[in-house]
Amino acid sequence: MTRTSAHLTRPTTDAATTDTVSDPHFDASTTAEHNAAPHKTATAANRSLAGGYTAWANRVRELAEQRNAVILAHNYQIPEIQDVAHHTGDSLALSRQAAETDADIIVFCGVHFMAESAKILSPNKKVLIPDARAGCSLADSITAKQLREWKAEHPDALVVSYVNTTADVKALTDVCCTSSNAVDVVNSLPADQEILFCPDQFLGAYVKRETGRENMHIWAGECHVHAGISAEQLTQQTQDNPSADLYIHPECGCANSALYLANEGLVPQERVHMLSTGQMITQAQKQPHNKVLVATETGMLHQLHQAAPDIDFQAVNDRAECKYMKMITPEALVRCLETETDEVTVDTNIADAARKSLEAMISIGNPGGAE
């Protein structure tokens, strides 16, 4: 199936029940265990694979070699997918890495807008996604039609779009940003220039506060997972763990609360870290304290534990799990490599315009990883 539309159709069931692993190279107990306790991060020590993971991973790597394919896994994927991938990380960093390889095929284990970005940066490579239904509530929160109408209301404004958007939206954007460089991107624009920032309202509020820009309009979009990590949960967790550091993703609904706790002296300023997922890994590698509360999608804990195994990383909300990310199952990955279906394509004109908005961001410097 070739997918060209930026519109995403929502699955009618939770990702945990979308696929049943039947591949003979994979022990289904892995997926059953993950689905039974989706908020609990699986590690090498508790997967109970009974040899199944090794056989499945060998099959994936064998197929990848046969197809000359590079496998990319976003930090929010299940641990098995992260571990078998050639590269794991933030979406933009992965797309840029893939563009530099000599692979003929990019298999993006993430959500659809990420695979689109990979295609934009690697127009001559075939880009596959293991499940084309893997959408994104944040990317879906603004369409190209809505952005055109918003721009018409503010004809002199510049559009700054988070990379967590569709190719169609990027094509209407002046400059993209990541969560790690959004402040730098906005600060690089003329101070008297009106700005339309989309689609994430929490990241936008953070950028507006940090830059002091009063001429910045913010779209009311959100990631349903990050928005669900509440101020109440963060406050309770900090009370229960008074010595813990906080890693907060700017997309989170609790971001303002984290800054409030620091400003009021309820949590030491130096223990509150507003970070992209890529920056979380960097911070973990130099983490001075032995406990960290993490406010982002729970798949991130796997990479954090690998980066700093002696640190006790705990989710602020241990059920903050993206069902769309988890639609990329072990079986789906094998099927994708075997059949080379669910190809992601982007219209050439859209891709060229979208690439300019990404290049504009990169030219500013410090593009970071992405979300």
Side-chain angles (χ1 to χ4, degrees):
M1 178 170 64
T2 299
R3 185 161 181 226
T4 59
S5 173
H7 179 71
L8 298 172
T9 302
R10 297 272 190 250
T12 56
T13 59
D14 287 340
T17 59
T18 300
D19 276 312
T20 301
V21 174
S22 59
D23 190 279
H25 299 284
F26 183 73
D27 186 341
S29 65
T30 306
T31 298
E33 176 185 325
H34 177 78
N35 293 343
H39 58 285
K40 192 173 183 180
T41 300
T43 64
N46 67 15
R47 288 178 188 157
S48 304
L49 289 174
Y53 177 81
T54 300
W56 169 81
N58 287 342
R59 174 61 174 161
V60 168
R61 286 299 182 88
E62 176 187 24
L63 286 167
E65 184 174 357
Q66 291 173 0
R67 305 289 191 271
N68 191 26
V70 59
I71 302 171
L72 312 179
H74 188 267
N75 288 320
Y76 297 162
Q77 291 293 299
I78 64 171
E80 291 78 11
I81 299 293
Q82 292 188 40
D83 289 349
V84 80
H86 297 105
H87 304 286
T88 299
D90 281 352
S91 65
L92 181 61
L94 290 172
S95 293
R96 295 179 75 189
Q97 282 179 302
E100 295 173 359
T101 71
D102 60 0
D104 296 316
I105 297 173
I106 297 170
V107 180
F108 210 122
C109 298
V111 294
H112 194 266
F113 81 80
M114 298 178 181
E116 280 188 333
S117 293
K119 184 63 178 180
I120 289 166
L121 294 179
S122 299
N124 296 322
K125 298 182 190 294
K126 177 184 279 191
V127 177
L128 307 175
I129 187 169
D131 194 322
R133 299 168 301 168
C136 173
S137 60
L138 177 56
D140 272 359
S141 67
I142 187 167
T143 65
K145 180 176 182 293
Q146 289 172 321
L147 181 53
R148 286 192 195 96
E149 292 171 350
W150 199 26
K151 290 177 67 173
E153 295 171 4
H154 304 272
D156 297 324
L158 292 176
V159 177
V160 177
S161 294
Y162 191 22
V163 292
N164 294 33
T165 46
T166 65
D168 289 341
V169 168
K170 288 185 178 73
L172 297 171
T173 295
D174 292 290
V175 55
C176 283
C177 72
T178 69
S179 59
S180 61
N181 74 1
V183 171
D184 292 339
V185 167
V186 171
N187 275 333
S188 74
L189 303 176
D192 60 351
Q193 183 75 59
E194 194 176 15
I195 293 174
L196 304 182
F197 187 96
C198 69
D200 189 79
Q201 60 182 312
F202 299 113
L203 178 59
Y206 169 71
V207 173
K208 187 171 184 177
R209 182 172 55 248
E210 292 296 303
T211 62
R213 297 283 292 243
E214 294 300 325
N215 56 353
M216 181 172 162
H217 306 281
I218 301 170
W219 189 260
E222 64 181 30
C223 161
H224 72 286
V225 176
H226 285 100
I229 304 176
S230 70
E232 292 78 13
Q233 290 169 330
L234 179 66
T235 300
Q236 185 61 56
Q237 289 274 30
T238 55
Q239 290 173 351
D240 294 343
N241 301 277
S243 64
D245 277 19
L246 306 181
Y247 288 6
I248 312 293
H249 195 287
E251 282 183 41
C252 287
C254 67
N256 285 339
S257 179
L259 294 173
Y260 171 81
L261 292 171
N263 290 336
E264 293 298 309
L266 300 174
V267 176
Q269 290 266 4
E270 67 272 13
R271 293 200 174 188
V272 178
H273 308 277
M274 301 293 290
L275 304 167
S276 68
T277 53
Q279 289 173 325
M280 288 183 183
I281 296 295
T282 302
Q283 181 64 31
Q285 292 168 342
K286 58 183 180 183
Q287 176 60 38
H289 305 111
N290 62 5
K291 179 174 282 190
V292 178
L293 301 177
V294 183
T296 191
E297 210 271 358
T298 57
M300 190 66 210
L301 295 179
H302 182 63
Q303 287 297 311
L304 289 171
H305 286 139
Q306 290 190 327
D310 295 331
I311 302 295
D312 180 14
F313 295 101
Q314 296 185 12
V316 170
N317 178 347
D318 65 1
R319 294 188 180 274
E321 185 168 272
C322 177
K323 64 182 179 181
Y324 304 111
M325 283 286 184
K326 271 52 178 184
M327 293 177 78
I328 310 302
T329 63
E331 181 187 44
L333 178 54
V334 169
R335 182 174 60 241
C336 176
L337 285 164
E338 287 178 338
T339 63
E340 296 186 26
T341 50
D342 283 358
E343 181 177 358
V344 175
T345 62
V346 180
D347 178 85
T348 300
N349 292 332
I350 295 293
D352 289 344
R355 192 177 304 111
K356 289 179 181 178
S357 67
L358 289 170
E359 291 173 345
M361 173 189 66
I362 293 169
S363 70
I364 292 168
N366 186 32
E371 61 295 330

